[in-house]
């Protein structure tokens, strides 16, 4: 009796825990766009076919066991032999072929349609209609560049809803993989070639998802791989245009004395040798070694993982290693005293495109 209860409570807990797996901002089972819808359809289709096959085979299996059991028919019973029966052979050859065809036709069709990235390579591409985002994956952070606008952000990808957004994917150190589970994918980011694909973000689903879709690195890349998260903010076309305008015109000026002090510390402590604080900073590729902090004050997370508040920001600045083991800010990173930490926190919080 006790054993049974243990089992029951185990399953009850499992139900509760697993129920958390279907969040609309982070689940392939809650598709939020054209690509995700198609991939969801394929998942359902293949699962259905498998389930039907398992049910039919199990049914035949049980039927045969029951009908032809020895205790019923006796020791010497020899059932009718059907080896080489032409009709049966045809039947169980043709059925799998049909099942495979039902699977293969949509899979191949969708593989080709989802690989259609021709519009992004067109010479006279209109960025208003065909948006391209260059994604660069780094240990353990993400950079998003809008080449048509000369704008760079990191950690938070901003996209317009209800249109195809084309991505050019690259990694700067080791192989990573770009994955927005709700919107589809994933696709590897490699160091020696560009991968390309597109995703769409449905406006209604974006509303249900809340403020952000979640993005992940889906290729084991090092000790902080599991912390290599990013957010996707899907805006209406008009909001997106406004955001881009803000980015193009952004110029963060420190507003308080403490923030001015923080800016000074930022320069003195060599933070600028890795970080840009201007989204249009067009330094050489090689200099882009750290997240662009131009809109840092607008982020929802610090370093992609910690909730955005003073306490967490201070903790990150004090000891980044304890939050993301092996991250690339450690090493030559200076020890900072309380005053410097306060000033830096104030300064970084104020890095926004708008007040
Ligand atoms: C050696 C290059 C380097 C130096 C110097 C450096 N950083 Fe960083 N910083 C990084 C990298 C790389 C990351 C991304 C870490 C991660 O998320 O894995 C980062 C992340 C950050 C973040 C979080 C960014 C985000 O988008 O969430 C802040 C804030 C930050 N650094 C502030 C500073 C400050 C302040 C200094 C100077 C005291 C500094 N950094 C010096 C490389 C550097
Ligand atoms: Cu990674």
């Amino acid at each position: 009796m006790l054993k049974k209860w243990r089992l029951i409570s185990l399953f009850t807990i499992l139900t509760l825990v697993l129920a958390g797996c279907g969040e609309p901002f982070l689940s392939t089972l809650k598709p939020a766009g054209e690509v995700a819808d198609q991939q969801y359809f394929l998942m359902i289709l293949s699962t259905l076919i498998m389930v039907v096959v398992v049910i039919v085979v199990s049914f035949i299996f049980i039927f045969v066991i029951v009908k032809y059991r020895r205790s019923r028919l006796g020791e010497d019973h020899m059932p009718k032999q059907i080896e080489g029966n032409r009709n049966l052979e045809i039947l169980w050859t043709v059925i799998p072929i049909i099942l495979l065809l039902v699977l293969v036709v949509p899979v191949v069709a969708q593989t080709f349609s989802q690989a259609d990235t021709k519009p992004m390579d067109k010479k006279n591409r209109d960025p208003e209609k065909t948006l391209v985002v260059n994604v660069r994956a780094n240990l353990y952070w993400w950079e998003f560049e809008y080449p048509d606008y000369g704008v760079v952000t990191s950690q938070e990808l901003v996209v317009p809803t209800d249109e195809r957004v084309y991505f050019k994917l690259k990694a700067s150190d080791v192989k990573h993989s770009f994955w927005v589970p709700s919107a589809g994918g994933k696709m590897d980011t490699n160091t020696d070639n560009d991968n390309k694909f597109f995703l769409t973000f449905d406006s209604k689903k974006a509303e249900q998802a809340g403020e952000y879709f979640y993005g992940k690195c889906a290729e084991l890349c090092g000790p902080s791989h599991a912390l290599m998260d990013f957010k996707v903010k899907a805006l209406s076309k008009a909001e997106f245009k406004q955001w881009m305008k803000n980015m193009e015109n952004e110029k963060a000026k420190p507003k308080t004395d403490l923030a001015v002090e923080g800016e000074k510390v930022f320069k003195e402590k060599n933070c600028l040798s890795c970080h840009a604080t201007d989204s249009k900073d067009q330094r050489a590729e090689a200099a882009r070694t750290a997240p662009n902090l131009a809109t840092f004050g607008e982020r929802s997370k610090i370093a992609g993982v910690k909730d955005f508040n003073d306490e967490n920001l201070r903790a990150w600045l004090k000891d980044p290693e304890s939050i993301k083991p092996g991250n690339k800010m450690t090493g030559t990173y200076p020890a900072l005293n309380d005053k410097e930490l306060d000033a830096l926190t104030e300064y970084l919080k104020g890095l926004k495109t708008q007040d």
Side-chain angles (χ1 to χ4, degrees):
M1 196 59 195
L2 188 69
K3 259 204 183 131
K4 231 188 221 163
W5 273 112
R6 255 197 232 151
L7 214 64
I8 289 174
S9 41
L10 178 71
F11 277 111
T12 319
I13 292 170
L14 264 184
T15 321
L16 288 177
V17 172
L18 294 177
C21 294
E23 301 290 0
F25 50 81
L26 181 66
S27 176
T28 44
L29 302 180
K30 302 257 166 74
E34 179 191 358
V35 175
D37 285 341
Q38 291 174 357
Q39 292 174 348
Y40 181 71
F41 167 77
L42 288 184
M43 271 192 274
I44 297 295
L45 179 70
S46 52
T47 309
L48 270 182
I49 290 179
M50 285 186 278
V51 167
V52 167
V53 169
V54 166
I55 289 176
V56 170
V57 170
S58 307
F59 184 79
I60 295 173
F61 178 70
I62 292 168
F63 173 79
V64 170
I65 286 184
V66 172
K67 178 146 192 219
Y68 295 100
R69 66 189 187 279
R70 194 179 287 168
S71 64
R72 201 171 83 96
L73 298 177
E75 285 294 328
D76 304 325
H77 178 78
M78 176 59 79
K80 191 178 152 210
Q81 297 301 293
I82 53 166
E83 193 194 341
N85 182 309
R86 180 157 13 112
N87 290 342
L88 272 179
E89 294 284 350
I90 290 175
L91 189 70
W92 59 51
T93 309
V94 167
I95 289 177
I97 290 178
I98 292 174
L99 291 181
L100 281 181
L101 278 178
V102 172
L103 260 181
V104 158
V105 171
V107 167
V108 171
Q110 287 184 21
T111 303
F112 277 94
S113 82
Q114 288 176 11
D116 177 18
T117 53
K118 268 186 250 112
M120 73 190 282
D121 296 323
K122 264 212 200 103
K123 273 246 166 59
N124 303 317
R125 177 174 54 82
D126 177 3
E128 290 267 316
K129 295 210 184 79
T130 320
L131 180 70
V132 172
V133 182
N134 294 343
V135 175
R136 269 194 355 162
N138 311 271
L139 292 164
Y140 301 91
W141 59 282
W142 298 86
E143 182 184 82
F144 306 107
E145 179 190 24
Y146 300 81
D148 304 305
Y149 300 91
V151 160
V152 177
T153 68
S154 41
Q155 311 290 44
E156 296 190 357
L157 167 67
V158 179
V159 290
T161 50
D162 301 331
E163 65 174 66
R164 290 185 176 182
V165 180
Y166 291 85
F167 295 97
K168 202 161 110 187
L169 308 169
K170 195 158 182 90
S172 40
D173 31 44
V174 299
K175 199 190 272 269
H176 302 274
S177 181
F178 177 81
W179 192 25
V180 186
S182 320
K186 56 218 175 228
M187 190 170 270
D188 274 6
T189 65
N190 298 331
T191 49
D192 44 8
N193 72 301
D194 293 331
N195 277 340
K196 296 172 188 171
F197 78 150
F198 65 84
L199 295 174
T200 64
F201 303 84
D202 186 273
S203 52
K204 285 202 196 76
K205 298 287 167 55
E207 243 165 64
Q208 288 164 16
E211 209 179 343
Y212 294 92
F213 292 113
Y214 280 39
K216 292 257 163 208
C217 174
E219 180 77 52
L220 187 58
C221 56
S224 281
H225 159 69
L227 302 174
M228 191 171 159
D229 292 0
F230 60 99
K231 305 282 171 291
V232 185
K233 200 172 196 173
L235 303 177
S236 72
K237 189 83 183 172
E239 286 172 323
F240 179 78
K241 269 190 179 161
Q242 185 57 47
W243 176 80
M244 193 52 91
K245 236 197 198 137
N246 292 343
M247 289 300 280
E248 287 177 305
N249 300 325
E250 69 88 15
K251 199 86 211 113
K253 277 264 177 294
K255 303 232 160 39
T256 62
D257 289 348
L258 191 58
V260 173
E261 181 63 30
E263 190 180 29
K264 237 173 72 198
V265 178
F266 196 79
K267 281 181 184 142
E268 280 166 13
K269 294 288 175 189
N270 259 342
C271 312
L272 271 173
S273 67
C274 294
H275 288 284
T277 53
D278 177 343
S279 69
K280 294 181 299 303
D281 200 336
Q282 300 288 2
R283 292 186 292 168
E285 279 271 302
R288 278 153 55 173
T289 48
N292 188 306
L293 298 178
T295 54
F296 180 73
E298 288 163 12
R299 299 232 215 289
S300 63
K301 300 273 177 186
I302 294 162
V305 284
K306 285 275 176 196
D307 283 341
F308 196 102
N309 57 40
D310 287 14
E311 200 185 324
N312 283 341
L313 179 51
R314 218 167 174 285
W316 169 259
L317 294 176
K318 189 167 176 151
D319 186 8
E321 178 71 18
S322 68
I323 292 174
K324 267 183 152 173
N327 81 78
K328 298 298 167 192
M329 177 146 120
T330 340
T332 57
Y333 190 72
L336 301 165
N337 63 33
D338 280 351
K339 242 181 80 199
E340 290 166 334
L341 287 171
D342 287 341
L344 276 175
T345 304
E346 177 78 4
Y347 165 64
L348 290 169
K349 267 195 316 185
L351 294 175
K352 294 179 178 177
T353 56
Q354 285 168 299
D355 295 317

